[in-house]
Amino acid sequence: MWKEYDPKTEEEFVILPCSEFMTVTGKEFNEVHKGEKFYKITCKTELHYGMHYKNGLNVDIYPLKPGKNISGGLHFADKYNIFDYNSSCKWLREVTIPDKAQVYIGDGQYKSDMLFLKEREPLVDSELYRQYGDVFVLNYIDL
């Protein structure tokens, strides 16, 4: 990670190295993605691979393992990719990443060893679903 200077706005901005797969600190992630929103979708019970999601801080029960489709890391996504994750979901939660977290970025996915979850809302009632849900086919929702 390094910082660049924009002479037009006289502002400093952060650049991550151009790499498809990397692990960064939560602080670095938050600097780069300032103002962006991230989300997590969960099933009816909010229990997934032994992890029970709740409001507030959630710390993975397994160590973060960089890599795609392997255990270790709490997955989350931006608004454009959140509907790629799971067709058997019920809840949508907004995510924030603690500065002390470790975040893996790779192949269009994010995962972290810890994240904060805001209050859940029914996915199909969310503004995000109304805006982007047309690309998402619900195979199962137990309302």
Coordinates of all heavy atoms in Angstrom, one line a residue, residues 9-80:
T9 N -7.1 18.2 -6.5 CA -7.9 18.4 -5.3 C -7.1 18.6 -4.0 O -7.6 18.9 -3.0 CB -8.8 17.1 -5.0 OG1 -7.9 16.0 -4.8 CG2 -9.7 16.8 -6.2
E10 N -5.7 18.5 -4.2 CA -4.8 18.6 -3.1 C -5.1 17.6 -2.0 O -4.9 17.9 -0.8 CB -4.8 20.0 -2.6 CG -4.3 21.0 -3.6 CD -4.2 22.4 -3.1 OE1 -4.5 22.7 -1.9 OE2 -3.8 23.3 -3.9
E11 N -5.6 16.4 -2.4 CA -5.9 15.4 -1.4 C -5.0 14.2 -1.6 O -4.6 13.9 -2.7 CB -7.4 14.9 -1.5 CG -8.4 16.0 -1.1 CD -9.8 15.5 -1.2 OE1 -10.0 14.3 -1.5 OE2 -10.7 16.3 -1.0
E12 N -4.7 13.5 -0.5 CA -3.9 12.3 -0.5 C -4.9 11.1 -0.6 O -6.0 11.2 -0.1 CB -3.2 12.2 0.8 CG -1.9 11.4 0.7 CD -1.1 11.6 2.0 OE1 -1.7 11.3 3.1 OE2 0.0 11.9 1.9
F13 N -4.5 10.1 -1.4 CA -5.4 8.9 -1.5 C -4.5 7.7 -1.4 O -3.3 7.7 -1.7 CB -6.3 8.9 -2.7 CG -5.6 9.0 -4.0 CD1 -5.2 7.9 -4.7 CD2 -5.3 10.3 -4.5 CE1 -4.6 8.0 -5.9 CE2 -4.6 10.4 -5.7 CZ -4.3 9.2 -6.4
V14 N -5.1 6.6 -1.0 CA -4.4 5.3 -0.8 C -4.5 4.4 -2.0 O -5.6 4.3 -2.6 CB -4.9 4.6 0.4 CG1 -4.2 3.3 0.6 CG2 -4.7 5.5 1.7
I15 N -3.5 3.8 -2.4 CA -3.5 2.8 -3.5 C -3.0 1.5 -3.0 O -1.9 1.4 -2.4 CB -2.6 3.3 -4.7 CG1 -3.1 4.6 -5.3 CG2 -2.5 2.2 -5.7 CD1 -2.3 5.1 -6.4
L16 N -3.7 0.5 -3.2 CA -3.3 -0.9 -2.9 C -2.5 -1.4 -4.1 O -2.8 -1.1 -5.3 CB -4.4 -1.8 -2.6 CG -5.1 -1.6 -1.3 CD1 -6.4 -2.5 -1.2 CD2 -4.2 -1.8 -0.1
P17 N -1.5 -2.2 -3.9 CA -0.8 -2.8 -5.0 C -1.7 -3.6 -5.9 O -2.7 -4.1 -5.5 CB 0.2 -3.8 -4.4 CG 0.3 -3.4 -3.0 CD -1.0 -2.7 -2.6
C18 N -1.5 -3.5 -7.2 CA -2.4 -4.2 -8.2 C -2.1 -5.7 -8.1 O -1.2 -6.2 -8.7 CB -2.1 -3.6 -9.6 SG -3.3 -4.3 -10.8
S19 N -3.0 -6.3 -7.4 CA -2.8 -7.8 -7.3 C -4.2 -8.4 -7.2 O -5.1 -7.8 -6.6 CB -2.1 -8.1 -6.0 OG -2.1 -9.5 -5.8
E20 N -4.4 -9.5 -7.7 CA -5.8 -10.1 -7.7 C -6.0 -10.8 -6.3 O -7.2 -10.9 -5.9 CB -5.9 -11.2 -8.8 CG -7.3 -11.7 -9.0 CD -7.4 -12.5 -10.2 OE1 -6.8 -12.2 -11.3 OE2 -8.0 -13.5 -10.1
F21 N -5.0 -11.2 -5.6 CA -5.1 -11.8 -4.3 C -4.2 -11.2 -3.3 O -3.0 -11.1 -3.5 CB -4.8 -13.3 -4.4 CG -5.6 -14.0 -5.4 CD1 -5.1 -14.3 -6.7 CD2 -6.9 -14.5 -5.1 CE1 -5.8 -15.0 -7.6 CE2 -7.6 -15.2 -6.1 CZ -7.1 -15.4 -7.4
M22 N -4.8 -10.7 -2.2 CA -4.0 -10.1 -1.2 C -4.7 -10.1 0.2 O -5.9 -10.2 0.2 CB -3.6 -8.6 -1.5 CG -4.8 -7.7 -1.6 SD -4.4 -6.0 -1.9 CE -3.6 -6.1 -3.5
T23 N -3.9 -9.9 1.2 CA -4.5 -9.7 2.6 C -4.0 -8.4 3.1 O -2.8 -8.1 3.0 CB -4.0 -10.8 3.5 OG1 -4.5 -12.1 3.0 CG2 -4.6 -10.7 4.9
V24 N -4.9 -7.6 3.6 CA -4.6 -6.2 4.1 C -5.2 -6.1 5.5 O -6.1 -6.9 5.9 CB -5.1 -5.1 3.1 CG1 -4.5 -5.2 1.8 CG2 -6.7 -5.2 3.0
T25 N -4.8 -5.0 6.2 CA -5.4 -4.8 7.5 C -6.8 -4.1 7.3 O -7.0 -3.6 6.2 CB -4.5 -3.8 8.3 OG1 -4.5 -2.5 7.7 CG2 -3.1 -4.3 8.5
G26 N -7.6 -4.2 8.3 CA -8.9 -3.5 8.2 C -8.7 -2.0 8.0 O -9.5 -1.4 7.3
K27 N -7.7 -1.5 8.6 CA -7.5 0.0 8.4 C -7.1 0.3 7.0 O -7.7 1.3 6.4 CB -6.3 0.4 9.3 CG -6.1 1.9 9.3 CD -5.0 2.3 10.3 CE -4.9 3.8 10.2 NZ -3.9 4.4 11.2
E28 N -6.3 -0.5 6.4 CA -6.0 -0.3 4.9 C -7.2 -0.4 4.1 O -7.5 0.4 3.2 CB -4.9 -1.2 4.5 CG -3.5 -1.0 5.1 CD -2.5 -2.1 4.8 OE1 -2.9 -3.3 4.8 OE2 -1.3 -1.8 4.7
F29 N -8.0 -1.5 4.4 CA -9.2 -1.7 3.6 C -10.2 -0.6 3.7 O -10.7 -0.1 2.7 CB -9.9 -3.0 4.1 CG -11.1 -3.4 3.4 CD1 -11.1 -4.1 2.2 CD2 -12.4 -3.0 3.9 CE1 -12.2 -4.5 1.5 CE2 -13.5 -3.4 3.2 CZ -13.4 -4.1 2.0
N30 N -10.3 0.0 4.9 CA -11.3 1.1 5.2 C -10.8 2.4 4.5 O -11.6 3.1 4.0 CB -11.5 1.3 6.7 CG -12.2 0.1 7.3 OD1 -13.1 -0.5 6.6 ND2 -12.0 -0.2 8.5
E31 N -9.5 2.6 4.4 CA -9.0 3.8 3.8 C -9.3 3.7 2.3 O -9.7 4.7 1.7 CB -7.5 3.9 4.0 CG -7.1 4.3 5.4 CD -5.6 4.3 5.6 OE1 -4.8 4.1 4.7 OE2 -5.2 4.6 6.8
V32 N -9.1 2.6 1.7 CA -9.3 2.4 0.3 C -10.8 2.4 -0.1 O -11.2 3.0 -1.1 CB -8.6 1.1 -0.2 CG1 -9.0 0.8 -1.7 CG2 -7.1 1.2 -0.1
H33 N -11.6 1.9 0.8 CA -13.0 1.7 0.5 C -13.9 2.7 1.2 O -15.1 2.5 1.5 CB -13.5 0.3 0.7 CG -12.8 -0.7 -0.2 ND1 -13.2 -0.9 -1.5 CD2 -11.8 -1.5 0.0 CE1 -12.5 -1.8 -2.0 NE2 -11.6 -2.2 -1.1
K34 N -13.3 3.8 1.6 CA -14.1 4.9 2.4 C -15.3 5.3 1.6 O -15.3 5.6 0.4 CB -13.2 6.1 2.6 CG -13.8 7.1 3.5 CD -12.8 8.2 3.8 CE -13.4 9.2 4.8 NZ -12.5 10.3 5.1
G35 N -16.4 5.2 2.3 CA -17.7 5.6 1.7 C -18.5 4.5 1.0 O -19.6 4.7 0.7
E36 N -17.8 3.4 0.8 CA -18.5 2.2 0.2 C -19.2 1.4 1.2 O -18.8 1.4 2.4 CB -17.5 1.3 -0.5 CG -16.8 2.0 -1.8 CD -15.9 1.0 -2.4 OE1 -16.2 -0.1 -2.7 OE2 -14.7 1.4 -2.6
K37 N -20.3 0.8 0.8 CA -21.0 -0.1 1.7 C -20.8 -1.6 1.3 O -20.7 -1.9 0.2 CB -22.5 0.2 1.7 CG -22.9 1.5 2.3 CD -24.4 1.7 2.4 CE -24.7 3.0 3.1 NZ -26.1 3.2 3.2
F38 N -20.8 -2.4 2.4 CA -20.6 -3.8 2.2 C -21.7 -4.6 2.9 O -22.2 -4.0 3.9 CB -19.2 -4.3 2.6 CG -18.1 -3.7 1.8 CD1 -17.5 -2.5 2.1 CD2 -17.7 -4.3 0.6 CE1 -16.6 -1.9 1.3 CE2 -16.8 -3.8 -0.2 CZ -16.2 -2.6 0.1
Y39 N -22.0 -5.8 2.5 CA -23.1 -6.5 3.0 C -22.8 -8.0 3.3 O -21.9 -8.5 2.7 CB -24.3 -6.4 2.0 CG -24.7 -5.0 1.7 CD1 -24.1 -4.3 0.7 CD2 -25.6 -4.4 2.5 CE1 -24.5 -3.0 0.4 CE2 -26.0 -3.0 2.3 CZ -25.4 -2.4 1.2 OH -25.7 -1.1 0.9
K40 N -23.6 -8.6 4.1 CA -23.6 -10.0 4.3 C -25.0 -10.5 4.3 O -25.9 -9.9 4.8 CB -23.0 -10.4 5.6 CG -23.0 -11.9 5.9 CD -21.8 -12.3 6.8 CE -21.6 -13.8 6.8 NZ -21.1 -14.4 5.6
I41 N -25.3 -11.6 3.6 CA -26.6 -12.3 3.6 C -26.5 -13.5 4.5 O -25.4 -14.2 4.5 CB -27.2 -12.6 2.2 CG1 -26.2 -13.4 1.4 CG2 -27.6 -11.3 1.5 CD1 -26.8 -13.8 0.1
T42 N -27.5 -13.8 5.2 CA -27.5 -15.0 6.1 C -28.8 -15.8 6.0 O -29.8 -15.2 5.5 CB -27.3 -14.6 7.6 OG1 -28.3 -13.7 8.0 CG2 -25.9 -13.9 7.8
C43 N -28.7 -17.0 6.4 CA -29.9 -17.9 6.3 C -30.8 -17.6 7.5 O -30.5 -16.7 8.3 CB -29.5 -19.4 6.3 SG -28.7 -19.9 7.9
K44 N -32.0 -18.2 7.5 CA -33.0 -18.0 8.6 C -32.4 -18.0 10.0 O -32.7 -17.2 10.8 CB -34.1 -19.0 8.4 CG -35.3 -18.7 9.3 CD -36.4 -19.7 9.1 CE -37.6 -19.5 10.0 NZ -38.7 -20.4 9.7
T45 N -31.6 -19.0 10.3 CA -31.1 -19.2 11.6 C -29.8 -18.4 11.9 O -29.4 -18.3 13.1 CB -30.7 -20.7 11.9 OG1 -29.7 -21.1 11.0 CG2 -31.9 -21.6 11.7
E46 N -29.3 -17.9 10.9 CA -28.0 -17.1 10.9 C -26.9 -17.9 11.5 O -25.9 -17.4 12.1 CB -28.2 -15.8 11.7 CG -29.1 -14.8 11.0 CD -28.9 -13.4 11.3 OE1 -29.2 -13.0 12.5 OE2 -28.5 -12.6 10.5
L47 N -26.9 -19.2 11.3 CA -25.9 -20.2 11.7 C -25.3 -20.7 10.4 O -26.0 -21.3 9.6 CB -26.5 -21.3 12.6 CG -25.5 -22.3 13.1 CD1 -24.6 -21.6 14.1 CD2 -26.3 -23.4 13.8
H48 N -24.0 -20.6 10.3 CA -23.3 -21.1 9.1 C -21.9 -21.7 9.4 O -21.1 -21.0 10.0 CB -23.1 -19.9 8.1 CG -22.7 -20.3 6.7 ND1 -23.5 -21.0 5.9 CD2 -21.5 -20.1 6.1 CE1 -22.8 -21.2 4.7 NE2 -21.6 -20.7 4.8
Y49 N -21.8 -23.0 9.1 CA -20.5 -23.7 9.5 C -20.1 -23.4 10.9 O -18.9 -23.2 11.2 CB -19.4 -23.3 8.5 CG -19.6 -23.8 7.1 CD1 -19.8 -22.9 6.0 CD2 -19.7 -25.2 6.8 CE1 -20.1 -23.4 4.8 CE2 -19.9 -25.6 5.5 CZ -20.1 -24.7 4.5 OH -20.3 -25.2 3.2
G50 N -21.0 -23.5 11.8 CA -20.7 -23.4 13.2 C -20.6 -22.0 13.8 O -20.4 -21.7 14.9
M51 N -20.7 -21.0 12.9 CA -20.6 -19.6 13.3 C -22.0 -19.0 13.3 O -22.8 -19.1 12.4 CB -19.8 -18.8 12.2 CG -19.7 -17.4 12.4 SD -18.4 -17.1 13.7 CE -18.7 -15.3 13.9
H52 N -22.4 -18.5 14.5 CA -23.7 -17.9 14.7 C -23.5 -16.4 14.6 O -22.9 -15.7 15.5 CB -24.3 -18.3 16.0 CG -25.7 -17.9 16.2 ND1 -26.1 -17.0 17.1 CD2 -26.8 -18.2 15.4 CE1 -27.4 -16.8 16.9 NE2 -27.9 -17.5 16.0
Y53 N -24.1 -15.8 13.6 CA -24.0 -14.3 13.4 C -25.0 -13.6 14.2 O -26.1 -14.0 14.5 CB -24.2 -14.0 11.9 CG -23.1 -14.6 11.0 CD1 -23.3 -15.8 10.4 CD2 -21.9 -13.9 10.9 CE1 -22.3 -16.3 9.6 CE2 -20.9 -14.4 10.1 CZ -21.1 -15.6 9.5 OH -20.1 -16.1 8.7
K54 N -24.5 -12.4 14.7 CA -25.3 -11.5 15.6 C -25.0 -10.1 15.3 O -24.0 -9.7 14.6 CB -24.9 -11.9 17.0 CG -23.5 -11.6 17.4 CD -23.1 -12.0 18.8 CE -21.7 -11.7 19.2 NZ -20.7 -11.5 18.3
N55 N -25.8 -9.2 15.9 CA -25.5 -7.7 15.8 C -24.2 -7.5 16.5 O -23.9 -8.1 17.5 CB -26.6 -6.9 16.5 CG -28.0 -7.0 15.8 OD1 -28.1 -7.5 14.7 ND2 -29.0 -6.6 16.5
G56 N -23.4 -6.5 16.0 CA -22.2 -6.1 16.6 C -21.0 -6.9 16.0 O -21.0 -7.4 14.9
L57 N -20.0 -7.0 16.9 CA -18.7 -7.7 16.5 C -18.9 -9.2 16.4 O -19.4 -9.8 17.3 CB -17.6 -7.4 17.5 CG -16.2 -8.0 17.1 CD1 -15.7 -7.4 15.8 CD2 -15.3 -7.7 18.3
N58 N -18.5 -9.7 15.2 CA -18.4 -11.2 15.0 C -17.0 -11.5 14.7 O -16.4 -11.0 13.7 CB -19.3 -11.5 13.8 CG -20.8 -11.4 14.1 OD1 -21.5 -12.3 14.4 ND2 -21.3 -10.2 14.1
V59 N -16.4 -12.5 15.4 CA -15.1 -12.9 15.2 C -15.1 -14.4 14.8 O -15.8 -15.2 15.4 CB -14.2 -12.8 16.5 CG1 -12.8 -13.3 16.3 CG2 -14.2 -11.3 17.0
D60 N -14.5 -14.7 13.6 CA -14.5 -16.0 13.1 C -14.0 -17.0 14.1 O -13.0 -16.8 14.8 CB -13.7 -16.1 11.8 CG -14.1 -17.3 10.9 OD1 -14.8 -18.2 11.4 OD2 -13.6 -17.4 9.8
I61 N -14.6 -18.2 14.1 CA -14.2 -19.2 15.0 C -13.0 -20.0 14.5 O -12.4 -20.8 15.1 CB -15.3 -20.2 15.4 CG1 -15.9 -20.8 14.1 CG2 -16.4 -19.5 16.2 CD1 -17.1 -21.8 14.4
Y62 N -12.7 -19.7 13.2 CA -11.5 -20.4 12.5 C -10.6 -19.3 12.1 O -11.0 -18.1 11.8 CB -12.0 -21.1 11.3 CG -13.0 -22.2 11.5 CD1 -14.3 -22.0 11.2 CD2 -12.6 -23.4 12.2 CE1 -15.3 -23.0 11.5 CE2 -13.6 -24.3 12.4 CZ -14.9 -24.1 12.1 OH -15.8 -25.1 12.3
P63 N -9.3 -19.6 12.0 CA -8.3 -18.5 11.6 C -8.5 -18.2 10.1 O -8.9 -19.1 9.3 CB -6.9 -19.2 11.8 CG -7.2 -20.6 12.2 CD -8.6 -20.8 12.4
L64 N -8.3 -16.9 9.7 CA -8.4 -16.5 8.4 C -7.4 -17.2 7.5 O -6.2 -17.3 7.8 CB -8.1 -15.0 8.2 CG -8.2 -14.4 6.8 CD1 -9.7 -14.5 6.3 CD2 -7.7 -13.0 6.8
K65 N -7.9 -17.8 6.4 CA -7.0 -18.5 5.4 C -7.3 -17.9 4.1 O -8.3 -18.0 3.5 CB -7.4 -20.0 5.3 CG -7.1 -20.8 6.6 CD -7.4 -22.2 6.4 CE -7.3 -23.0 7.7 NZ -7.8 -24.4 7.6
P66 N -6.3 -17.2 3.6 CA -6.4 -16.6 2.2 C -6.6 -17.7 1.2 O -6.1 -18.8 1.3 CB -5.0 -15.9 2.0 CG -4.5 -15.6 3.4 CD -5.0 -16.8 4.2
G67 N -7.5 -17.4 0.3 CA -7.8 -18.3 -0.8 C -9.3 -18.4 -1.0 O -10.1 -18.1 -0.2
K68 N -9.6 -18.7 -2.2 CA -11.0 -18.8 -2.6 C -11.6 -20.2 -2.3 O -11.0 -21.2 -2.4 CB -11.1 -18.6 -4.1 CG -12.5 -18.5 -4.6 CD -12.6 -18.2 -6.1 CE -14.1 -18.2 -6.5 NZ -14.2 -17.9 -7.9
N69 N -12.8 -20.1 -1.8 CA -13.6 -21.3 -1.5 C -12.9 -22.3 -0.5 O -13.0 -23.5 -0.6 CB -14.0 -22.1 -2.8 CG -14.8 -21.2 -3.7 OD1 -15.7 -20.5 -3.2 ND2 -14.6 -21.4 -5.0
I70 N -12.3 -21.7 0.5 CA -11.7 -22.5 1.6 C -12.2 -21.9 2.9 O -12.6 -20.7 3.0 CB -10.2 -22.6 1.6 CG1 -9.6 -21.2 1.7 CG2 -9.7 -23.3 0.3 CD1 -8.1 -21.2 1.9
S71 N -12.2 -22.8 4.0 CA -12.7 -22.3 5.3 C -11.7 -21.3 5.8 O -10.6 -21.2 5.4 CB -12.9 -23.5 6.2 OG -11.6 -24.0 6.5
G72 N -12.2 -20.5 6.8 CA -11.4 -19.5 7.5 C -11.6 -18.1 6.9 O -11.0 -17.8 5.9
G73 N -12.6 -17.4 7.5 CA -12.9 -16.1 7.0 C -14.4 -15.9 6.9 O -15.1 -16.8 6.5
L74 N -14.9 -14.7 7.3 CA -16.3 -14.3 7.2 C -16.5 -13.6 5.9 O -15.9 -12.5 5.7 CB -16.7 -13.5 8.4 CG -16.3 -14.1 9.8 CD1 -16.6 -13.1 10.9 CD2 -17.0 -15.4 10.0
H75 N -17.2 -14.2 5.0 CA -17.4 -13.6 3.7 C -18.4 -12.4 3.7 O -19.3 -12.4 4.5 CB -17.9 -14.6 2.7 CG -16.9 -15.7 2.4 ND1 -16.7 -16.7 3.2 CD2 -16.1 -15.8 1.3 CE1 -15.8 -17.5 2.6 NE2 -15.4 -16.9 1.5
F76 N -18.1 -11.4 2.9 CA -19.0 -10.3 2.7 C -18.8 -9.8 1.3 O -17.9 -10.2 0.6 CB -18.8 -9.2 3.7 CG -17.4 -8.6 3.7 CD1 -17.1 -7.4 3.1 CD2 -16.3 -9.2 4.3 CE1 -15.9 -6.8 3.1 CE2 -15.0 -8.7 4.3 CZ -14.8 -7.5 3.7
A77 N -19.6 -8.9 0.8 CA -19.6 -8.4 -0.6 C -20.1 -7.0 -0.7 O -20.7 -6.4 0.2 CB -20.4 -9.3 -1.5
D78 N -19.7 -6.4 -1.9 CA -20.3 -5.1 -2.2 C -21.7 -5.2 -2.8 O -22.1 -6.4 -3.0 CB -19.3 -4.3 -3.1 CG -19.1 -5.0 -4.5 OD1 -20.0 -5.8 -4.9 OD2 -18.0 -4.9 -5.0
K79 N -22.3 -4.1 -3.1 CA -23.7 -4.2 -3.5 C -23.9 -4.9 -4.9 O -24.9 -5.4 -5.2 CB -24.3 -2.8 -3.6 CG -23.7 -1.8 -4.5 CD -24.3 -0.5 -4.4 CE -23.6 0.5 -5.3 NZ -24.2 1.9 -5.1
Y80 N -22.8 -4.9 -5.7 CA -22.9 -5.5 -7.0 C -22.7 -7.0 -7.0 O -23.1 -7.6 -7.9 CB -21.8 -4.8 -7.9 CG -22.0 -3.3 -8.0 CD1 -21.0 -2.5 -7.4 CD2 -23.1 -2.7 -8.7 CE1 -21.2 -1.1 -7.5 CE2 -23.2 -1.4 -8.8 CZ -22.3 -0.6 -8.2 OH -22.4 0.8 -8.2

